Amino acid sequence: MRDFHQPGRSAVFADQGMCATSHPLAAQTAIETLKAGGNAVDAAIAGAVLLGLCEPAMTGIGGDCFVLLKPAGSEDVIALNGSGRAPAALSGAALRAKGHEKMPVFGDPAAVTVPGAVDAFCRLSEDHGRLGIDRLLAPTIHYAEAGVPVAPRAGFDWANHHENLSGAARGFYLVDGAAPKVGQRFVHKGQAEVLRRVAAEGRKGFYEGEVAEDMVASLRALGGVHTLEDFANTACDYTTPISGTYKGVELVEHPPNGQGATAILLANILAEFDLPSMEPFGTLRAHIEAEATKLAYDARDRFLADMDHMTRLAHMLDPATAKKLAALIDPTRAMASAKPLTEEVHKETIYLTVVDRDRMAVSLIYSVFKDFGSGIASDKFGVLFQNRGAGFTLEEGHPNEAGGGKRPMHTIIPAMLKQEGRVIMPFGVMGGQYQSTGHARMVTNMVDYGLGPQEMIDAPRCFSEYGTMNVEKGYSETVRQELAEMGHAVTIPAVGIGGAQAIRIHHDTGSLEGGSDPRKDGIALGY
């Protein structure tokens, strides 16, 4: 139970429906959608699209999404891959011939993969929603025209990363040439017009016609190889989720090209240790988690890729693999970190989860990758493009080598937990590379330490990432000192590690219990 002598949010309880996400306006929009007769899919779409306006450094219609969906009346989980592909003409060999040793990141259309989220939202609405895409986009169209007040965390990100914006993007995403201040209204009439076309025409309003022509022309003017056919051919895919079991709780993840397999591998490694005997926020647990993270992420960087090009998924999910890796961990000493595959770290995304009165549950994550994505926006409508192509490698022959029509390795992953065959908690963790470790920590916080959704989210985090161990301020100085003595290069991060949201479904009482991360602007709301 929460200690009311310590600072922290109270969990949110309701029974009819709930949304937890990273911005209050989006959570409110989702709840209003439920009250208007929409289901969890409708609410998730309405809230997610609005987040692209409220948090443009994190996400937007120029990005990608992944979704896990539990339909009403079923405990089966459906996965939808809404990540776009590289343009057909992209070539790793051609980029190497130009002198690139790794993928470009900002201001270069080679990093821009075709946005997949709009197609996924339209498909979800058609296949599983009730209200129609036009009604779901109406709130964002309104706010894009009228403006949204900039929230504190969004303002922080704007102030610290607006220099990533270039060209036309600076006109659309800055106010009088500067990052908007907290409380100042941000207006994006170009996005309102794009969404009106999608509301009227469905996915064709984005992937064909004038909007697509604007996007392709803008990218090609900068040297991109994108074509109208690349956009018109964009299509999301229903896939089969992957899962692993941690002490009787099933962790359900999206299959590659997301890094969900890494979270399962990491949880399997941690299952080889007696975590309940360790202090939950003490030195030993932090050390074991850091060492397991290094091993799991090394496997990710060697094997993970577009599902059509990946051959070692079964190896990553095999508990025997985890057992062998766990044996490599010295409980008294830190090992060296593996070199990152892309050397590009990001922390920017949004996560949203909704559960409705019929217990349809949605776990949705949606991102433009780096802060403000590629920093490139289309000239006429101001669609800000993601830079997911930076997730490719230029290592020749690697399964994740950049290539035409391929999906790059993604860091963003939605999740759900099941117990005794029933979904008990859709959840997600923001924070780029941290997400797999964050998933494993959420699971162990709940299973090994008995924490509820808000408690596990409020709890301090640490993350060992390519030579540096970030340890949040919530840890004691003694823990930091002991970790340093074990060989970890310890630092206190300037901002909190990632963010998270979760909704616990209490099948015994019929109630919903929501939590939302204080590291972000968001909130859990229910009715």
Side-chain angles (χ1 to χ4, degrees), residues 28 35 48 147 200 207 297 304 329 344 355 390 517:
Q28 175 180 283
K35 289 183 173 181
Y207 294 98
Y297 280 51
L304 207 143
I329 294 175
E344 287 306 329
V355 179
D517 207 313

Side-chain angles (χ1 to χ4, degrees), residues 263-396:
I264 295 169
L265 173 57
L266 178 51
N268 284 340
I269 296 172
L270 293 174
E272 297 297 314
F273 297 89
D274 184 13
L275 293 190
S277 71
M278 304 174 192
E279 286 294 321
F281 308 110
T283 304
L284 185 55
R285 183 200 183 193
H287 168 71
I288 294 298
E289 183 182 270
E291 300 304 278
T293 290
K294 293 171 186 176
L295 294 166
Y297 280 51
D298 177 59
R300 181 199 73 174
D301 288 352
R302 287 186 287 122
F303 303 139
L304 207 143
D306 185 325
M307 196 65 166
D308 293 339
H309 299 268
M310 187 174 175
T311 60
R312 302 299 298 277
L313 178 59
H315 173 73
M316 289 186 70
L317 300 180
D318 189 346
T321 300
K323 196 175 193 70
K324 291 176 182 176
L325 292 175
L328 300 176
I329 294 175
D330 183 339
T332 66
R333 194 71 192 162
M335 69 180 75
S337 293
K339 183 180 179 182
L341 176 66
T342 66
E343 298 183 6
E344 287 306 329
V345 177
H346 94 292
K347 299 180 179 178
E348 312 315 330
T349 188
I350 66 87
Y351 174 78
L352 180 148
T353 179
V354 182
V355 179
D356 67 23
R357 69 177 63 189
D358 298 318
R359 297 307 181 251
M360 173 186 274
V362 175
S363 182
L364 184 154
I365 201 156
Y366 172 38
S367 173
V368 291
F369 194 34
K370 296 283 283 184
D371 309 86
F372 291 107
S374 64
I376 301 169
S378 66
D379 293 332
K380 181 173 182 179
F381 295 106
V383 177
L384 185 67
F385 297 110
Q386 64 185 1
N387 55 348
R388 275 292 165 188
F392 284 124
T393 178
L394 290 181
E395 179 185 327
E396 188 173 2

